[in-house]
């Protein structure tokens, strides 16, 4: 299997100086005409068959008659070519979007209802939720006339069989990050269940709607639609649904040892137009041993933020006990206005709530949740909680919680570009290194852990960064007499050579469908594209919109789901019939 190889300067020149963009296809329908055709069915039901749909389309736009005639003459006997193939594939995508939207939304709701977050007590392939998800995919695939294979509950395969021997891989994942139930509240006070999909306007709320179950539902219906159309494809389209992407990708590693991979692949787990470079994701955990206090001085006795290290939570909390709680409460309340006035202007809005109980004080900082790879899109409550405790004027006992608060403030603060730790750098195409201290909790062994999500662009190796970060933490620990244990797993960055007819085709599909600029891009998110030969990402995140995966109140917008349906369908037909990939 060929693997893209390149020099870093050459890749930078190819992406930044020249840029690969979608070519112009003068005789193919594009977004304005697609919108007009879609609008002609608003309020009505599109034709029940693709043939009838084509009759309606060529009546609405006589310029489509040659492509429709070509399809009716030989479209089910031999592959179409050129503009005829593009137009028919694009119309099939529009048909799928109009005809199957409600069914896709219902299918997505059924997927969201299966809580496929990792259960640390059992291996993922033994998790009943994962097994149930595989059964749901199998039932759907077989009802669509597609081939299904379960690879030991690690990967669920669905194949749309082509005439030739080549295969094209489409990778996505069924597992999701955990959800903090208390954070799933809309602005009007409506409480949501993360595992019951709810539509509010154009938003489909639910854990996994955008990451990644929306992609699974859309591509399954795209495969169904292509099969029912009778359009021949040369390459078999193999959908691979991974079950451990959010927690390391060990299912894909298992699969790679069992099953040959397609030579070319796309991953539906990042963004459009086409992601050819990804930062390396890392998890940096620092453990603080428990320390007793005598109760004479107010102490932090509990802290909590985030359910997963790769998610910036909406809230962070702390509990205080001991000492003169009345005086402490008064100091905290008095400190709130000045603290908010000082830190909100440069860092985004957040709120602080201080509640007095019979023998404790609870503090909650509410920020804005975000994916761990995109700290710029969130307002991280954890460092702000720690900073508030340090600047409130309250004297706190020196235990593991206070040490953790000082550690976060000293090495990360409220920034995320490595300003305080002194290791920040950036790549012109891939962007900056980011550190986001997201998670804090007490483990079963009594130790407190603070976990930082790191995203590393090219410019350093994982080994170099680990040595540098570890040295900084050990230096801080020695100066602050803190006994810490460091666990740091740092993945490497990925960059692919942006060339080939298959990439040009994907860019053309995206550009003509959306009317937006179509060129290769980089992403901070890390996907299993790194584990696949010749793999890039194609959707589902739309440029210019906040990606809500891993967020509280995760949602997928219906118009974006429509676009997925349309583009995935066209992709299956056109990539499936390319004469050559490069």
């Amino acid at each position: 299997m060929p693997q893209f190889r390149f020099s870093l300067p050459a890749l930078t020149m190819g992406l930044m100086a020249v840029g690969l963009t979608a070519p112009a296809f003068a005789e193919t329908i594009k977004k304005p005409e697609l919108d007009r055709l879609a609008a002609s069915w608003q309020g009505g039901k599109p034709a029940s068959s693709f043939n009838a749909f084509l009759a309606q389309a060529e009546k609405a736009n006589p310029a489509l008659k040659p492509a429709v005639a070509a399809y009716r003459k030989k479209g089910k006997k031999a592959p179409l070519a050129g503009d005829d193939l593009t137009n028919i594939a694009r119309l099939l995508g529009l048909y799928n979007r109009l005809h199957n939207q409600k069914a896709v939304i219902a299918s997505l709701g059924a997927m969201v209802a299966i809580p496929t977050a990792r259960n640390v007590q059992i291996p993922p392939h033994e998790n009943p939720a994962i097994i149930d998800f595989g059964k749901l995919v199998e039932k759907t695939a077989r009802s669509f006339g597609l081939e299904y294979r379960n690879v030991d509950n690690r990967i669920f395969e669905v194949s749309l069989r082509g005439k030739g021997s080549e295969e094209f891989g489409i990778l996505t994942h069924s597992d999701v990050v955990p959800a903090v139930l208390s954070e799933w509240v809309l602005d009007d006070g409506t409480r949501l269940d993360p595992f019951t999909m709810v539509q509010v306007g154009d938003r489909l709320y639910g854990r996994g709607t955008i990451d990644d179950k929306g992609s699974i539902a859309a591509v399954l219906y795209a495969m169904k639609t292509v099969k029912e159309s009778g359009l021949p494809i040369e390459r078999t389209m193999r959908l691979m649904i991974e079950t451990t992407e959010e927690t390391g990708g060990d299912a894909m590693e298992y699969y790679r040892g069992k099953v040959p991979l397609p030579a070319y692949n796309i991953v539906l787990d990042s963004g459009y137009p086409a992601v050819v470079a990804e930062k390396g994701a890392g998890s940096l955990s620092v453990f603080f041993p428990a320390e007793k206090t005598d109760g004479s001085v107010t102490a932090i006795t509990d802290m909590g933020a985030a359910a997963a290290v790769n998610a910036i939570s909406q809230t962070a909390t702390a509990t205080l006990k001991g000492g003169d709680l009345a005086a402490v409460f008064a100091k905290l309340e008095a400190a709130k206005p000045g603290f908010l006035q000082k830190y909100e202007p440069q860092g985004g809005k957040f709120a602080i709530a201080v509640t007095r109980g019979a023998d404790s004080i609870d503090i909650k900082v509410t920020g804005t949740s975000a994916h761990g790879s995109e700290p710029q899109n969130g307002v991280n409550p954890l460092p702000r909680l720690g900073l508030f405790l340090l600047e409130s004027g309250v004297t706190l006992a020196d235990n593991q919680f206070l040490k953790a608060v000082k550690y976060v403030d000293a090495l990360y603060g409220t920034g995320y570009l490595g300003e305080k730790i002194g290791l920040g750098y950036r790549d012109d195409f891939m962007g900056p290194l980011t550190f986001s201290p997201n998670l804090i909790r007490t483990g079963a062994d009594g130790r407190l852990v603070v976990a930082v999500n790191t995203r590393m662009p090219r410019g350093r190796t994982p080994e170099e960064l680990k040595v540098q970060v570890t040295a900084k933490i050990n230096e801080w620990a020695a100066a602050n007499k803190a006994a810490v244990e460091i666990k740091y797993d740092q993945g490497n960055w990925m960059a692919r050579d942006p060339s080939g007819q298959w990439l040009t085709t994907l860019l053309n599909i995206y550009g003509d469908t959306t009317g937006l600029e179509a060129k290769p891009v980089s992403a901070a998110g890390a996907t299993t594209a790194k584990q696949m030969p010749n793999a890039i990402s194609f959707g589902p995140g739309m440029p210019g919109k906040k990606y809500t995966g891993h967020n509280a109140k995760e949602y997928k917008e219906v118009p974006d789901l429509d676009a997925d349906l349309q583009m995935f369908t066209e992709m299956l037909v056109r990539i499936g019939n390319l004469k050559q990939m490069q």
Side-chain angles (χ1 to χ4, degrees), residues 465-528:
L465 188 60
K466 288 171 70 173
V467 168
Q468 293 166 346
V469 169
T470 301
K472 293 284 187 178
I473 296 172
N474 283 331
E475 181 182 346
W476 174 87
N480 289 269
K481 296 180 173 59
V484 300
E485 179 186 338
I486 303 168
K487 181 181 178 182
Y488 186 6
D489 297 317
Q490 179 61 59
N492 204 0
W493 51 268
M494 176 202 81
R496 305 293 195 194
D497 181 7
S499 64
Q501 292 187 35
W502 68 297
L503 179 54
T504 302
T505 300
L506 292 173
L507 293 172
N508 173 256
I509 292 169
Y510 171 81
D512 283 3
T513 299
T514 66
L516 301 174
E517 184 179 21
K519 64 180 182 180
V521 296
S522 175
T527 72
T528 41

Side-chain angles (χ1 to χ4, degrees), residues 288 382-384 386 403-414 420 437 439-440 450 452 476:
F288 297 82
L382 177 55
R384 288 162 175 81
K403 286 183 172 68
V405 163
K406 290 180 176 179
Y407 157 71
V408 170
D409 183 57
L411 295 188
Y412 312 103
T414 57
K420 283 200 165 187
L439 182 148
I440 187 168
V450 176
V452 177
W476 174 87

Side-chain angles (χ1 to χ4, degrees), residues 253-314:
E253 285 298 326
Y254 177 90
Y255 181 74
R256 283 159 53 95
K258 294 275 187 179
V259 181
L261 298 176
Y264 292 88
N265 301 271
I266 60 168
V267 179
L268 311 179
D269 187 31
S270 186
Y272 294 113
V275 176
V276 300
E278 295 179 354
K279 293 180 183 179
S283 177
L284 166 62
S285 296
V286 175
F287 298 86
F288 297 82
E291 300 180 43
K292 291 184 178 180
T293 57
D294 61 13
S296 62
V297 178
T298 302
I300 308 170
T301 59
D302 193 23
M303 294 187 74
V309 67
N310 54 6
I312 295 173
S313 64
Q314 183 170 295

Side-chain angles (χ1 to χ4, degrees), residues 103 255 376 394 461 559:
Y255 181 74
Q376 72 276 11
V394 173
T461 67

Side-chain angles (χ1 to χ4, degrees), residues 46-336:
S48 58
S49 71
F50 184 50
N51 269 321
F53 178 84
L54 289 177
Q56 294 174 329
E58 67 176 340
K59 183 177 180 181
N61 183 355
L64 292 171
K65 286 185 177 180
V68 174
Y71 168 75
R72 287 179 175 152
K73 182 178 180 181
K74 66 172 185 177
K76 295 185 180 182
K77 299 176 182 177
L80 299 173
D83 292 344
D84 289 341
L85 176 67
T86 298
N87 278 330
I88 293 300
R90 199 157 286 171
L91 287 170
L92 185 63
L94 180 60
Y95 167 75
N96 185 20
R97 160 185 159 191
L98 295 170
H99 188 69
N100 289 318
Q101 183 205 72
K102 290 182 179 178
V104 172
I105 291 173
S107 178
L108 176 54
M111 293 179 184
V112 169
I114 303 175
T116 51
R118 190 159 195 161
N119 182 343
V120 296
Q121 297 179 339
I122 54 175
H125 59 278
E126 297 177 6
N127 186 338
I130 294 293
I131 293 170
D132 286 346
F133 195 89
K135 291 177 180 177
L136 176 62
V137 171
E138 179 180 14
K139 180 180 178 181
T140 303
R142 295 199 188 285
S143 72
F144 291 172
L146 304 169
E147 296 180 11
Y148 173 83
R149 179 167 66 155
N150 180 343
V151 182
D152 301 332
N153 291 326
R154 267 82 167 191
I155 302 286
F156 306 125
E157 270 187 19
V158 180
S159 294
L160 174 65
R161 188 59 55 187
K163 292 184 175 181
S165 60
E166 286 189 30
E167 287 191 85
F168 183 72
I170 304 167
L171 181 63
T172 183
H173 66 87
S174 61
D175 60 317
V176 298
V177 295
V180 179
L181 299 183
S182 61
E183 296 180 351
W184 284 68
V185 184
L186 299 181
D187 292 342
D188 64 2
T190 301
R191 292 192 170 274
L192 303 177
D193 176 353
F195 299 104
T196 301
M197 194 179 76
V198 174
Q199 182 169 353
V200 179
D202 276 341
R203 293 181 176 181
L204 302 168
Y205 287 97
R207 179 56 88 218
T209 48
I210 196 168
D211 187 21
D212 228 4
K213 293 176 179 178
S215 294
I216 297 173
V219 77
L220 283 172
Y221 270 85
M223 296 170 92
K224 171 183 188 289
T225 300
V226 172
K227 183 174 179 61
E228 290 177 348
S229 74
L231 278 167
I233 58 173
E234 290 299 312
R235 286 179 186 82
T236 291
M237 295 289 159
R238 188 205 302 180
L239 171 63
M240 295 160 282
I241 303 172
E242 220 262 29
T243 58
T244 63
E245 192 275 342
E246 299 291 5
T247 54
D250 47 303
M252 178 51 68
E253 285 298 326
Y254 177 90
Y255 181 74
R256 283 159 53 95
K258 294 275 187 179
V259 181
L261 298 176
Y264 292 88
N265 301 271
I266 60 168
V267 179
L268 311 179
D269 187 31
S270 186
Y272 294 113
V275 176
V276 300
E278 295 179 354
K279 293 180 183 179
S283 177
L284 166 62
S285 296
V286 175
F287 298 86
F288 297 82
E291 300 180 43
K292 291 184 178 180
T293 57
D294 61 13
S296 62
V297 178
T298 302
I300 308 170
T301 59
D302 193 23
M303 294 187 74
V309 67
N310 54 6
I312 295 173
S313 64
Q314 183 170 295
T315 59
T317 60
T319 299
L320 309 183
K321 291 185 178 182
D324 187 349
L325 290 181
V328 169
F329 180 76
K331 279 189 175 183
L332 292 170
E333 282 292 317
K336 277 168 45 179

